[in-house]
Amino acid sequence: MEVHEAAEILLKAVHDDMNGRIVFSDFLAHQTQGYSERTAVELIGIYNKALLVLIDEGLSHRGPGADIIELGQKGVEFKGDYKKYIKKKYTRNFLEKTRRILPIGTFLLAAIGFYLTYLKKASNERKAKANVAQHRKDSIAHSKTKR
């Protein structure tokens, strides 16, 4: 079991409680029931880490007693769905990074556009000068043949 899975289970348990609070030691006893002692200790460690993650994210917090866990405001907003919270968090971070990078991309596109416009303008000017030079040559050649 990973910490995120444990956080999902813990947050769901707190959210599903009628009062929005659970006794953490009772929750751990229920979750580790039937496991060997070593596995139970590992599960307790994972659930403790999950609790710290939930507290850091603001999804839950400690109640009046050290053993009571209460649902936080963000936990209420996301209706106890930790996966939904994580997905929204990753989306928010992606959009924030995109917002920071987007001006650089816009600048590059504008610079490429100006460069292409310059190349086209220079090409048209060269064609016009070549056309004028050809007309001059033709007129000089035409005037020599008439004489």
Side-chain angles (χ1 to χ4, degrees):
M1 176 182 288
E2 293 183 22
V3 174
H4 292 296
E5 293 172 9
E8 174 75 21
I9 294 168
L10 181 59
L11 184 61
K12 195 67 167 168
V14 174
H15 182 266
D16 290 344
D17 187 67
M18 185 188 302
N19 297 323
R21 66 175 64 173
I22 61 170
V23 178
F24 191 59
S25 59
D26 292 343
F27 172 78
L28 288 177
H30 182 277
Q31 292 296 319
T32 58
Q33 183 179 8
Y35 288 104
S36 67
E37 187 176 329
R38 181 173 181 219
T39 307
V41 169
E42 288 178 12
L43 284 174
I44 289 171
I46 291 172
Y47 278 112
N48 281 326
K49 287 179 186 178
L51 178 62
L52 291 175
V53 168
L54 292 176
I55 290 173
D56 286 344
E57 299 292 341
L59 295 167
S60 64
H61 55 84
R62 297 241 182 224
D67 201 30
I68 297 175
I69 308 302
E70 294 180 338
L71 191 61
Q73 184 61 37
K74 285 185 182 177
V76 172
E77 290 173 13
F78 289 97
K79 297 180 177 117
D81 192 357
Y82 185 72
K83 290 178 186 174
K84 182 178 176 183
Y85 170 76
I86 291 295
K87 184 177 179 182
K88 193 165 188 173
K89 180 180 173 183
Y90 286 148
T91 303
R92 184 177 55 243
N93 289 343
F94 172 75
L95 291 174
E96 181 66 25
K97 288 177 184 176
T98 303
R99 185 187 65 81
R100 291 180 183 168
I101 294 172
L102 197 59
I104 296 169
T106 305
F107 171 76
L108 291 175
L109 286 174
I112 291 170
F114 284 129
Y115 182 68
L116 292 175
T117 304
Y118 170 75
L119 287 178
K120 185 170 174 82
K121 185 178 178 184
S123 174
N124 289 342
E125 287 176 2
R126 274 187 258 123
K127 286 179 186 175
K129 285 182 183 178
N131 199 6
V132 168
Q134 186 63 36
H135 284 296
R136 282 185 189 159
K137 284 182 185 177
D138 289 345
S139 66
I140 291 173
H142 183 67
S143 66
K144 286 185 181 179
T145 57
K146 282 188 173 183
R147 289 187 190 174

